[in-house]
C-alpha cells in the first residue's frame, strides 16, 4: 500500500509541475503581449507629439549636432539615440553618416569580442556607401585577425585607418601583412600603424632596411594616401606605398637602426614629401670614415621634426639638403651641424643640450630666421643677440622669440 501511495503522489506532483509550467508559460505569453501592447500604445502617443511631425531631414541635422558634442567616454551616440523610440531608431539606422566612423577595442574575452564583431559587421553594412574612418586598438588578444579579415572586405571605402597593437604575440606582424598586403585602397588618405615594443618579435634579427620602393602592404595601390605614421615594430616591416605621401612620421624602437645610405635612398623616393617627423631612429655612421656622399636633396620638404638622442641630427642636416625647408623642430639632441638652409624661417629648440659652439653654428646655418622658440637651456642666444650690430652673425630678420616652460616665479603677474 505504501508503494502504491508513493507512486500516486509522485504522479500527482508531476501533474502539478506540468500545470505550473503551463501557467508560467501563459504568464510569460501574457507579459509579452502586454509589452507589445505598451510599445504600440507608446508609439501612438509619440506620433501625436509635436516633435514627431518633424521630417527626417531635421532629425538628422539635430542628431549630427549632438554627435559633434557627444562626450567621447560615453556609449556611442547612435546606440543611445536608437533606443529612445522607434522613430529615432528608424532615422538612426537608416542614416549611413552615423555609422561610418568605426572604433573597435580588441578584448581578450571571447564573449565580448563576439558582440563587438557583430557590431562591427553591422556598422560596416549600415554605413554604405560612405567612406570609412576606422580605428583599431589591440591590447594583447588573439582576435586581431578576424577584425582585419572583416574590414578588408570594405577596403574600397577606407578613408582613414589607424591600427595600434600592444600585443607581444609575434603573429601580429604576420596577421597585418597577410591581410593588408594585397589590399587596394583607392580612397585611403590617412594611415597610422603602430606595433608596440615587443622583444619577443625577432629579437636577434639584424636591422630591417627602409625600402620604400617595395611596399609591404597595400601592394595593389593606395593612390590617395597623403598622411602616413609608422611606429614601433611596424617600421621597416609594414610600409605602404609612399610615393604620393606629403606627411610622414617614422618612429622606431629598440634594435632598430638605419644607415645614412638607407635613409637617403628612402627620402629621395618621396618627391611630394612636405612634412617629415623622425623619432627614436638610430642612424648608423658610414663604415668607412673617409667615404663621402653628396647630400641627398629633399625638394619639397617644408617642415622637419627630429626627436631623441638616438638620431645624430648634426649629420642628418649635413647629409640631406632641404632647399624649401621653412620650419625645424629639434628635441632632446646633444650636438648640431648643418648645411646652410637660407629658406628656414622658424626654429624650435626643446631640451637640446647644445654648446656655445653649436649655438653659433645654428646662427650661421639659418641666416634668415624670423621666429625662434627656446627654453632655459640656451643663454648663449641672448649673449649673441646683445652683441653690437657689427659683431653679430645674422638673424637680421628675427622678429619673434618665444620662451617655453618658464617657471611661474620668473613671470610677472
Amino acid at each position: 500500500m505504501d508503494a502504491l501511495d508513493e507512486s500516486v503522489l509522485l504522479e500527482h506532483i508531476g501533474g502539478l509541475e506540468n500545470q505550473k509550467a503551463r501557467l508560467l508559460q501563459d504568464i510569460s505569453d501574457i507579459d509579452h503581449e502586454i509589452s507589445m501592447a505598451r510599445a504600440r500604445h507608446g508609439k501612438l502617443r509619440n506620433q501625436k507629439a509635436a516633435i514627431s511631425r518633424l521630417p527626417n531631414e531635421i532629425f538628422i541635422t539635430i542628431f549630427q549636432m549632438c554627435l559633434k558634442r557627444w562626450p567621447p567616454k560615453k556609449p556611442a551616440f547612435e546606440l543611445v539615440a536608437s533606443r529612445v523610440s522607434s522613430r529615432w531608431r528608424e532615422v538612426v539606422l537608416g542614416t549611413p553618416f552615423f555609422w561610418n566612423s568605426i572604433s573597435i577595442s580588441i578584448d581578450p574575452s571571447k564573449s565580448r569580442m563576439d558582440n563587438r564583431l557583430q557590431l562591427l559587421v553591422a556598422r560596416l553594412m549600415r554605413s554604405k556607401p560612405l567612406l570609412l574612418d576606422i580605428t583599431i586598438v589591440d591590447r594583447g588578444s588573439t582576435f586581431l585577425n578576424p577584425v582585419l579579415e572583416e574590414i578588408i572586405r570594405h577596403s574600397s571605402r577606407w578613408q582613414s585607418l589607424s591600427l595600434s597593437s600592444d600585443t607581444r604575440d609575434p603573429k601580429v606582424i604576420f596577421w597585418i601583412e597577410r591581410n593588408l598586403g594585397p589590399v587596394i585602397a583607392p580612397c585611403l588618405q590617412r594611415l597610422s600603424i603602430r606595433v608596440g615594443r615587443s622583444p619577443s618579435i625577432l629579437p636577434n634579427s639584424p636591422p630591417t632596411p627602409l625600402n620604400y620602393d617595395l611596399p609591404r602592404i597595400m601592394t595593389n595601390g593606395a593612390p590617395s594616401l597623403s598622411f602616413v605614421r609608422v611606429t614601433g615594430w611596424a617600421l621597416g616591416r609594414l610600409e605602404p606605398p609612399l610615393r604620393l605621401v606629403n606627411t610622414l612620421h617614422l618612429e622606431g624602437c629598440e634594435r632598430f637602426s638605419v644607415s645614412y645610405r638607407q635613409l637617403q635612398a628612402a627620402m629621395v623616393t618621396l618627391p611630394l614629401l612636405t612634412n617629415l617627423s623622425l623619432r627614436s631612429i638610430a642612424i648608423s655612421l658610414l663604415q668607412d670614415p673617409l667615404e663621402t656622399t653628396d647630400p641627398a636633396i629633399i625638394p619639397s620638404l617644408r617642415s622637419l621634426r627630429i626627436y631623441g638622442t638616438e638620431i645624430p641630427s648634426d649629420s642628418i642636416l649635413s647629409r640631406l639638403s632641404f632647399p624649401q625647408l621653412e620650419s625645424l623642430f629639434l628635441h632632446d639632441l646633444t650636438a648640431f651641424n648643418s648645411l646652410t638652409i637660407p629658406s628656414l624661417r622658424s626654429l624650435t629648440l626643446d631640451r637640446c643640450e647644445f654648446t656655445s659652439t653649436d649655438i653659433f653654428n645654428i646662427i650661421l646655418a639659418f641666416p634668415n630666421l624670423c621666429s625662434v622658440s627656446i627654453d632655459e637651456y640656451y643663454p648663449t642666444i641672448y649673449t649673441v643677440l646683445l652683441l653690437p650690430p657689427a659683431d653679430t652673425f645674422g638673424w637680421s630678420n628675427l622678429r619673434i622669440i618665444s620662451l617655453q616652460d618658464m617657471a611661474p616665479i620668473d613671470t610677472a603677474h
Side-chain angles (χ1 to χ4, degrees):
M1 234 7 231
D2 292 341
L4 181 61
D5 290 343
E6 183 179 355
S7 175
V8 172
L9 285 173
L10 288 175
E11 184 178 352
H12 182 60
I13 291 172
L16 292 174
E17 288 178 342
N18 290 334
Q19 184 179 359
K20 177 183 177 182
R22 289 193 297 272
L23 292 173
L24 290 175
Q25 183 61 48
D26 290 341
I27 292 174
S28 177
D29 293 342
I30 292 172
D31 285 341
H32 178 70
E33 290 185 16
I34 292 173
S35 177
M36 296 298 294
R38 285 176 175 170
R40 291 194 295 271
H41 179 253
K43 185 174 183 178
L44 290 173
R45 290 191 60 185
N46 288 338
Q47 289 175 348
K48 295 178 180 179
I51 192 173
S52 297
R53 293 194 289 271
L54 294 175
N56 286 354
E57 291 77 11
I58 293 182
F59 267 113
I60 293 172
T61 300
I62 294 173
F63 288 166
Q64 287 176 334
M65 296 173 64
C66 294
L67 185 62
K68 292 179 180 179
R69 295 167 174 79
W70 194 253
K73 293 185 178 181
K74 286 192 173 183
F77 169 79
E78 57 273 17
L79 298 181
V80 174
S82 65
R83 296 167 183 164
V84 172
S85 70
S86 58
R87 173 74 185 284
W88 286 31
R89 181 176 180 81
E90 178 183 314
V91 171
V92 172
L93 294 184
T95 307
F97 173 83
F98 296 120
W99 305 99
N100 71 324
S101 182
I102 299 174
S103 179
I104 180 168
S105 179
I106 300 178
D107 194 282
S109 166
K110 185 179 185 304
S111 60
R112 284 196 290 265
M113 276 310 301
D114 286 343
N115 292 333
R116 292 178 187 181
L117 281 170
Q118 291 177 7
L119 180 58
L120 173 63
V121 172
R123 284 184 174 278
L124 291 170
M125 299 305 296
R126 292 169 184 169
S127 61
K128 289 182 177 182
L130 298 185
L131 297 180
L132 299 170
D133 297 311
I134 303 175
T135 300
I136 301 172
V137 178
D138 176 21
R139 305 201 181 280
S141 77
T142 59
F143 294 102
L144 175 61
N145 195 51
V147 171
L148 294 176
E149 290 176 346
E150 201 60 54
I151 67 168
I152 62 172
R153 298 190 179 102
H154 302 264
S155 62
S156 62
R157 294 196 290 132
W158 292 353
Q159 178 173 253
S160 69
L161 174 62
S162 175
L163 172 57
S164 176
S165 177
D166 292 328
T167 181
R168 301 178 67 87
D169 191 338
K171 296 187 184 73
V172 66
I173 295 289
F174 169 75
W175 287 336
I176 297 173
E177 186 171 7
R178 184 184 68 178
N179 284 285
L180 301 189
V183 160
I184 180 171
C187 300
L188 184 65
Q189 299 175 18
R190 297 173 60 88
L191 174 66
S192 176
I193 299 181
R194 184 187 72 84
V195 178
R197 299 184 175 187
S198 180
S200 63
I201 300 179
L202 307 176
N204 299 313
S205 62
T208 303
L210 293 174
N211 188 351
Y212 296 136
D213 281 333
L214 298 173
R216 308 293 184 90
I217 60 174
M218 303 179 186
T219 54
N220 285 320
S224 301
L225 193 60
S226 61
F227 174 96
V228 171
R229 178 187 290 110
V230 184
T231 68
W233 279 94
L235 187 59
R237 298 178 175 90
L238 296 172
E239 282 82 9
L242 294 173
R243 287 189 174 275
L244 301 179
V245 166
N246 58 48
T247 299
L248 178 62
H249 176 90
L250 303 177
E251 181 175 351
C253 58
E254 298 96 342
R255 293 186 300 278
F256 184 90
S257 65
V258 297
S259 70
Y260 280 110
R261 289 190 180 279
Q262 291 170 349
L263 182 63
Q264 289 175 346
M267 293 297 103
V268 297
T269 62
L270 309 176
L272 301 183
L273 188 63
T274 303
N275 307 293
L276 174 63
S277 176
L278 302 174
R279 182 192 290 265
S280 301
I281 301 176
I283 301 177
S284 57
L285 296 172
L286 296 170
Q287 297 298 319
D288 184 354
L290 299 179
E291 183 181 357
T292 60
T293 58
D294 294 330
I297 299 176
I298 317 299
S300 301
L301 197 70
R302 298 291 194 276
S303 175
L304 174 62
R305 303 173 73 89
I306 302 176
Y307 300 79
T309 54
E310 297 92 340
I311 304 177
S313 66
D314 55 323
S315 298
I316 289 181
L317 296 173
S318 63
R319 295 179 185 274
L320 298 177
S321 176
F322 310 101
Q324 302 296 326
L325 189 65
E326 298 175 355
S327 175
L328 176 63
F329 178 96
L330 303 177
H331 172 82
D332 197 19
L333 303 176
T334 57
F336 179 87
N337 186 27
S338 172
L339 300 172
T340 301
I341 306 179
S343 60
L344 196 73
R345 297 293 183 268
S346 175
L347 173 65
T348 299
L349 304 176
D350 182 50
R351 303 187 183 280
C352 297
E353 299 180 7
F354 289 154
T355 65
S356 299
T357 301
D358 293 327
I359 296 298
F360 279 99
N361 288 336
I362 287 174
I363 295 172
L364 291 172
F366 312 136
N368 296 317
L369 278 182
C370 299
S371 173
V372 176
S373 179
I374 56 178
D375 55 26
E376 70 274 11
Y377 285 88
Y378 314 107
T380 305
I381 285 185
Y382 303 111
T383 303
V384 172
L385 294 176
L386 292 174
L387 289 174
D391 298 330
T392 57
F393 290 92
W395 287 5
S396 59
N397 296 322
L398 187 64
R399 296 294 180 268
I400 300 172
I401 300 178
S402 302
L403 304 180
Q404 311 163 25
D405 302 326
M406 289 186 64
I409 194 171
D410 293 334
T411 307
H413 295 282

